[in-house]
Amino acid sequence: MKTLLVALCVTTGLLATPALAQPAEPRPIRSFEVETVEALGRAMYRRDQFAWHGTDALRQAVSEEQLAGMIGWIVVERDGGHVVRFGRGSPAAPEPFYDVVFRGDDAPVVVEATQPFSETELAMFRAVAMARAGVTQPCSDRYNSLILADPDGDGWLVWMMAATTRQNVVVTGGHYRFSVSPDGRTIEQADRLSRGCVTLDMQAGGGGQTAALMMTQVVSDVPVETFVFLALQHGLPFYVVTPNRQTWEIEGDDMRLFQ
């Protein structure tokens, strides 16, 4: 038997009295066309896969003692492939540490980094550091970063994705998206992509098999790109109910209104 898991984001509170001020309405988040949301979610997933496999390859090739001082990584395209570039030192002025090179279907190659960071790569490290410091209401003690070029400008989009080490749990709330200046020094807009911390347990009751995940979204009338990313990551369809009472079906990197 397959089971559809449902999580509803519900905001509750006390009745207002004249002595209590009402909270300010949250600032609207940046919105994108459906095609852009799909493309962003797809690109996020692809970059995350490189970072994941690159980190695994690095830790298999290099001891933990040798990795002391590592501060993070970025994923860049180079010569028709992808490189996960690891840095050490200060996030404001990182130094190249190791590179993990991906080419086609070949196994990743781990090398000590000899090529200095370009100005663009330095800006990416700064943008990620700015975004990490901008998580003001964390839903986890672990946040993973993703960075892409802003499709509507010359700056960056940085995601801080709330993470968990718990098995069969999907973190659907608590994620942030930051619009950052081209030099990586200024956050131009910070978007909380949910109004609360939400997790879904993928373990279906009664020994059944989870067929899909469903939840509400209150921040925009079009599902945000993190749902595309999560649908790809977990290999399950998502059904997202938006404030205009429409239901969206997200399967892989395809997002459409559910009929």
PDB file of all heavy atoms in Angstrom, residues 153-166:
ATOM      1  N   GLY A 153      19.880  38.991 -13.238  1.00  0.00           N
ATOM      2  CA  GLY A 153      20.824  40.071 -12.969  1.00  0.00           C
ATOM      3  C   GLY A 153      22.250  39.584 -13.090  1.00  0.00           C
ATOM      4  O   GLY A 153      22.517  38.489 -13.594  1.00  0.00           O
ATOM      5  N   ASP A 154      23.187  40.416 -12.592  1.00  0.00           N
ATOM      6  CA  ASP A 154      24.593  40.057 -12.681  1.00  0.00           C
ATOM      7  C   ASP A 154      25.177  39.654 -11.336  1.00  0.00           C
ATOM      8  O   ASP A 154      26.389  39.519 -11.187  1.00  0.00           O
ATOM      9  CB  ASP A 154      25.411  41.214 -13.275  1.00  0.00           C
ATOM     10  CG  ASP A 154      25.201  42.527 -12.516  1.00  0.00           C
ATOM     11  OD1 ASP A 154      24.447  42.532 -11.526  1.00  0.00           O
ATOM     12  OD2 ASP A 154      25.812  43.535 -12.920  1.00  0.00           O
ATOM     13  N   GLY A 155      24.318  39.454 -10.335  1.00  0.00           N
ATOM     14  CA  GLY A 155      24.776  39.046  -9.022  1.00  0.00           C
ATOM     15  C   GLY A 155      24.627  37.551  -8.810  1.00  0.00           C
ATOM     16  O   GLY A 155      24.708  36.753  -9.760  1.00  0.00           O
ATOM     17  N   TRP A 156      24.366  37.179  -7.566  1.00  0.00           N
ATOM     18  CA  TRP A 156      24.308  35.771  -7.179  1.00  0.00           C
ATOM     19  C   TRP A 156      23.019  35.461  -6.441  1.00  0.00           C
ATOM     20  O   TRP A 156      22.452  36.319  -5.766  1.00  0.00           O
ATOM     21  CB  TRP A 156      25.491  35.425  -6.258  1.00  0.00           C
ATOM     22  CG  TRP A 156      26.812  35.751  -6.851  1.00  0.00           C
ATOM     23  CD1 TRP A 156      27.582  36.855  -6.600  1.00  0.00           C
ATOM     24  CD2 TRP A 156      27.529  34.981  -7.820  1.00  0.00           C
ATOM     25  NE1 TRP A 156      28.723  36.821  -7.351  1.00  0.00           N
ATOM     26  CE2 TRP A 156      28.719  35.674  -8.113  1.00  0.00           C
ATOM     27  CE3 TRP A 156      27.280  33.771  -8.471  1.00  0.00           C
ATOM     28  CZ2 TRP A 156      29.653  35.203  -9.021  1.00  0.00           C
ATOM     29  CZ3 TRP A 156      28.204  33.294  -9.382  1.00  0.00           C
ATOM     30  CH2 TRP A 156      29.376  34.003  -9.642  1.00  0.00           C
ATOM     31  N   LEU A 157      22.577  34.223  -6.552  1.00  0.00           N
ATOM     32  CA  LEU A 157      21.564  33.669  -5.666  1.00  0.00           C
ATOM     33  C   LEU A 157      22.251  32.637  -4.779  1.00  0.00           C
ATOM     34  O   LEU A 157      22.946  31.740  -5.288  1.00  0.00           O
ATOM     35  CB  LEU A 157      20.431  33.004  -6.444  1.00  0.00           C
ATOM     36  CG  LEU A 157      19.524  33.911  -7.275  1.00  0.00           C
ATOM     37  CD1 LEU A 157      18.439  33.083  -7.954  1.00  0.00           C
ATOM     38  CD2 LEU A 157      18.891  35.001  -6.420  1.00  0.00           C
ATOM     39  N   VAL A 158      22.083  32.789  -3.481  1.00  0.00           N
ATOM     40  CA  VAL A 158      22.670  31.848  -2.522  1.00  0.00           C
ATOM     41  C   VAL A 158      21.541  31.265  -1.681  1.00  0.00           C
ATOM     42  O   VAL A 158      20.727  32.016  -1.130  1.00  0.00           O
ATOM     43  CB  VAL A 158      23.702  32.529  -1.609  1.00  0.00           C
ATOM     44  CG1 VAL A 158      24.355  31.490  -0.693  1.00  0.00           C
ATOM     45  CG2 VAL A 158      24.757  33.270  -2.417  1.00  0.00           C
ATOM     46  N   TRP A 159      21.510  29.956  -1.602  1.00  0.00           N
ATOM     47  CA  TRP A 159      20.519  29.274  -0.767  1.00  0.00           C
ATOM     48  C   TRP A 159      21.202  28.726   0.477  1.00  0.00           C
ATOM     49  O   TRP A 159      22.302  28.152   0.386  1.00  0.00           O
ATOM     50  CB  TRP A 159      19.845  28.128  -1.505  1.00  0.00           C
ATOM     51  CG  TRP A 159      18.951  28.563  -2.611  1.00  0.00           C
ATOM     52  CD1 TRP A 159      17.597  28.773  -2.553  1.00  0.00           C
ATOM     53  CD2 TRP A 159      19.331  28.850  -3.963  1.00  0.00           C
ATOM     54  NE1 TRP A 159      17.126  29.178  -3.770  1.00  0.00           N
ATOM     55  CE2 TRP A 159      18.161  29.234  -4.666  1.00  0.00           C
ATOM     56  CE3 TRP A 159      20.550  28.824  -4.655  1.00  0.00           C
ATOM     57  CZ2 TRP A 159      18.186  29.583  -6.002  1.00  0.00           C
ATOM     58  CZ3 TRP A 159      20.576  29.182  -5.979  1.00  0.00           C
ATOM     59  CH2 TRP A 159      19.391  29.557  -6.655  1.00  0.00           C
ATOM     60  N   MET A 160      20.572  28.909   1.603  1.00  0.00           N
ATOM     61  CA  MET A 160      20.969  28.227   2.822  1.00  0.00           C
ATOM     62  C   MET A 160      19.873  27.215   3.122  1.00  0.00           C
ATOM     63  O   MET A 160      18.732  27.583   3.428  1.00  0.00           O
ATOM     64  CB  MET A 160      21.146  29.214   3.967  1.00  0.00           C
ATOM     65  CG  MET A 160      22.428  30.024   3.864  1.00  0.00           C
ATOM     66  SD  MET A 160      23.877  28.976   4.117  1.00  0.00           S
ATOM     67  CE  MET A 160      25.096  29.872   3.157  1.00  0.00           C
ATOM     68  N   MET A 161      20.234  25.953   2.991  1.00  0.00           N
ATOM     69  CA  MET A 161      19.274  24.861   3.088  1.00  0.00           C
ATOM     70  C   MET A 161      19.390  24.179   4.448  1.00  0.00           C
ATOM     71  O   MET A 161      20.431  23.598   4.777  1.00  0.00           O
ATOM     72  CB  MET A 161      19.526  23.842   1.969  1.00  0.00           C
ATOM     73  CG  MET A 161      19.486  24.418   0.561  1.00  0.00           C
ATOM     74  SD  MET A 161      17.819  24.887   0.060  1.00  0.00           S
ATOM     75  CE  MET A 161      17.040  23.268  -0.058  1.00  0.00           C
ATOM     76  N   ALA A 162      18.321  24.280   5.233  1.00  0.00           N
ATOM     77  CA  ALA A 162      18.293  23.581   6.520  1.00  0.00           C
ATOM     78  C   ALA A 162      18.454  22.085   6.270  1.00  0.00           C
ATOM     79  O   ALA A 162      17.828  21.523   5.368  1.00  0.00           O
ATOM     80  CB  ALA A 162      16.997  23.872   7.256  1.00  0.00           C
ATOM     81  N   ALA A 163      19.306  21.443   7.066  1.00  0.00           N
ATOM     82  CA  ALA A 163      19.633  20.041   6.827  1.00  0.00           C
ATOM     83  C   ALA A 163      19.442  19.231   8.104  1.00  0.00           C
ATOM     84  O   ALA A 163      19.344  19.770   9.209  1.00  0.00           O
ATOM     85  CB  ALA A 163      21.075  19.919   6.337  1.00  0.00           C
ATOM     86  N   THR A 164      19.389  17.929   7.932  1.00  0.00           N
ATOM     87  CA  THR A 164      19.274  17.011   9.057  1.00  0.00           C
ATOM     88  C   THR A 164      20.053  15.742   8.745  1.00  0.00           C
ATOM     89  O   THR A 164      20.273  15.396   7.581  1.00  0.00           O
ATOM     90  CB  THR A 164      17.801  16.652   9.332  1.00  0.00           C
ATOM     91  OG1 THR A 164      17.737  15.791  10.480  1.00  0.00           O
ATOM     92  CG2 THR A 164      17.166  15.943   8.158  1.00  0.00           C
ATOM     93  N   THR A 165      20.478  15.056   9.797  1.00  0.00           N
ATOM     94  CA  THR A 165      21.131  13.757   9.631  1.00  0.00           C
ATOM     95  C   THR A 165      20.167  12.619   9.928  1.00  0.00           C
ATOM     96  O   THR A 165      20.549  11.455   9.856  1.00  0.00           O
ATOM     97  CB  THR A 165      22.345  13.647  10.574  1.00  0.00           C
ATOM     98  OG1 THR A 165      21.914  13.857  11.923  1.00  0.00           O
ATOM     99  CG2 THR A 165      23.402  14.680  10.217  1.00  0.00           C
ATOM    100  N   ARG A 166      18.913  12.938  10.235  1.00  0.00           N
ATOM    101  CA  ARG A 166      17.924  11.906  10.551  1.00  0.00           C
ATOM    102  C   ARG A 166      17.495  11.181   9.288  1.00  0.00           C
ATOM    103  O   ARG A 166      17.269  11.790   8.238  1.00  0.00           O
ATOM    104  CB  ARG A 166      16.713  12.532  11.233  1.00  0.00           C
ATOM    105  CG  ARG A 166      16.994  13.132  12.598  1.00  0.00           C
ATOM    106  CD  ARG A 166      15.885  14.081  13.027  1.00  0.00           C
ATOM    107  NE  ARG A 166      14.575  13.424  13.020  1.00  0.00           N
ATOM    108  CZ  ARG A 166      13.436  14.089  13.034  1.00  0.00           C
ATOM    109  NH1 ARG A 166      13.429  15.426  13.011  1.00  0.00           N
ATOM    110  NH2 ARG A 166      12.287  13.421  13.039  1.00  0.00           N
TER     111      ARG A 166
END
